[in-house]
Amino acid sequence: MRAVKPYIISKGYKSRKRRRLKISLFIIASIVLPIVLYSPTKDYVNEILKKREEILKKREEDKKRNMALTIMDEAKNTVRNAAMLLERKASTVGHNMRSKLDIMKKNLKGLEGSLFEVQEAIDGKNYDNAINKSRLVRDKANEMSNIVQRLPIDIWGKWEGKWEMEGLFNPLSTNEANFKLSFEQDDSILTGTYYERGGSAKVNGKIEGKQINFEYRYSDGGGRKYTGTINDTGTEVSGKWHQEGGSGSWKMVKTAKVKEEKRK
């Protein structure tokens, strides 16, 4: 058998190698060319990222704006409620308390002015500043409302009432009786005189908001402690009493109000 000449083998090998290279280049071109021709450019990608960033920024801005508006509305409602409470309280407190209410009204006007600044901050898109100011106004108005609610109602004047004993009826003791009270008031401190069945005793007590407590003692050491709640107009009080050996309920109504100029 005749041997194949080396140069023929070399020529065939090179021919196959060229064909494989052409095929590879064709495959690469078919993959790369569409990517190059149809894929977005660098500028286009940057534009998409920029728009996405703007959308997220706008979404965050809208979120802060809504929060600022919500807290501003809360502050407005709190200021409005405090103003209504001040008006109601003005008719139920004594003359010495009204000067305090006048100061609170001025402070409340200042808070109302701050709400205009809040609106200006929102219009200027300074939402963080608007949120902080709204919270400050809201908290101050709430604090003012709490102070007003604790101001003592004016009960200076003459009262008539009745107490009843709780528990089983005891025919050998007094189970109910009418009484009269004459109150004087200095801020939250109460003094006065208690009248019952021809006897009388000095009264000392305290009032906070609508809550009242007082006690009286006779010269022989006997006495009684009363606690109760005053109605919104300061004309009726009801509650509980207790003493050694007994307890019960009581109620009284105002029969005469002492004029301001006749008070000490």
Side-chain angles (χ1 to χ4, degrees):
M1 184 177 176
R2 244 166 69 176
V4 180
K5 292 183 179 180
Y7 77 90
I8 296 176
I9 297 175
S10 176
K11 185 177 180 181
Y13 172 76
K14 288 180 180 181
S15 177
R16 289 194 300 274
K17 189 174 181 181
R18 281 195 298 270
R19 283 199 303 271
R20 285 197 298 268
L21 181 59
K22 288 179 181 180
I23 294 171
S24 299
L25 290 174
F26 175 78
I27 294 173
I28 292 172
S30 63
I31 295 173
V32 172
L33 281 176
I35 296 175
V36 172
L37 293 174
Y38 298 104
S39 63
T41 63
K42 182 179 180 181
D43 291 339
Y44 180 71
V45 171
N46 289 337
E47 186 66 23
I48 292 175
L49 293 175
K50 184 179 178 181
K51 286 184 178 179
R52 180 178 179 274
E53 186 177 348
E54 288 175 355
I55 291 171
L56 293 176
K57 185 178 179 180
K58 180 68 167 54
R59 189 177 298 171
E60 185 66 24
E61 187 177 286
D62 290 343
K63 183 179 178 181
K64 279 193 174 183
R65 185 176 188 276
N66 291 335
M67 182 183 295
L69 290 172
T70 299
I71 299 177
M72 184 180 69
D73 287 341
E74 290 177 3
K76 284 182 178 179
N77 290 333
T78 307
V79 170
R80 190 181 300 113
N81 292 337
M84 293 171 60
L85 186 60
L86 279 169
E87 289 299 323
R88 289 198 303 267
K89 201 72 173 181
S91 62
T92 63
V93 297
H95 180 72
N96 60 334
M97 288 286 104
R98 287 174 193 162
S99 59
K100 292 183 179 181
L101 291 181
D102 290 339
I103 294 173
M104 289 183 184
K105 286 180 180 180
K106 289 181 180 179
N107 293 337
L108 202 59
K109 287 291 183 183
L111 294 181
E112 290 174 352
S114 297
L115 289 174
F116 288 106
E117 296 177 3
V118 170
Q119 185 62 61
E120 289 177 356
I122 292 175
D123 294 340
K125 297 185 178 182
N126 193 351
Y127 302 124
D128 289 334
N129 186 29
I131 290 170
N132 292 333
K133 279 192 175 183
S134 293
R135 285 173 175 166
L136 185 63
V137 171
R138 181 192 62 190
D139 293 345
K140 284 187 175 181
N142 271 327
E143 183 181 355
M144 193 177 298
S145 294
N146 292 332
I147 292 173
V148 172
Q149 288 175 344
R150 291 196 298 269
L151 290 178
I153 291 179
D154 179 29
I155 66 167
W156 194 316
K158 295 181 180 181
W159 298 74
E160 291 184 4
K162 180 180 181 179
W163 60 262
E164 296 180 348
M165 183 174 287
E166 294 177 343
L168 297 175
F169 177 76
N170 184 354
L172 301 179
S173 66
T174 302
N175 294 280
E176 62 180 33
N178 295 323
F179 63 84
K180 293 182 179 181
L181 267 168
S182 177
F183 275 125
E184 294 181 4
Q185 184 175 351
D186 182 10
D187 199 350
S188 61
I189 304 301
L190 297 176
T191 56
T193 307
Y194 179 93
Y195 305 93
E196 182 185 331
R197 295 194 297 258
S200 64
K202 293 298 180 183
V203 172
N204 292 289
K206 191 174 183 181
I207 179 172
E208 182 175 342
K210 296 168 64 176
Q211 303 304 310
I212 182 175
N213 66 81
F214 63 91
E215 64 179 333
Y216 66 83
R217 289 198 173 277
Y218 294 113
S219 56
D220 61 2
R224 183 175 291 174
K225 292 183 178 180
Y226 287 77
T227 59
T229 302
I230 309 167
N231 68 351
D232 291 336
T233 57
T235 56
E236 292 186 9
V237 188
S238 60
K240 298 289 184 180
W241 62 267
H242 68 275
Q243 65 182 46
E244 186 177 354
S247 62
S249 59
W250 66 283
K251 183 177 181 179
M252 66 179 185
V253 295
K254 182 177 279 189
T255 56
K257 183 177 180 180
V258 178
K259 294 182 179 180
E260 299 283 355
E261 59 270 18
K262 293 185 177 181
R263 300 183 184 187
K264 295 179 181 180

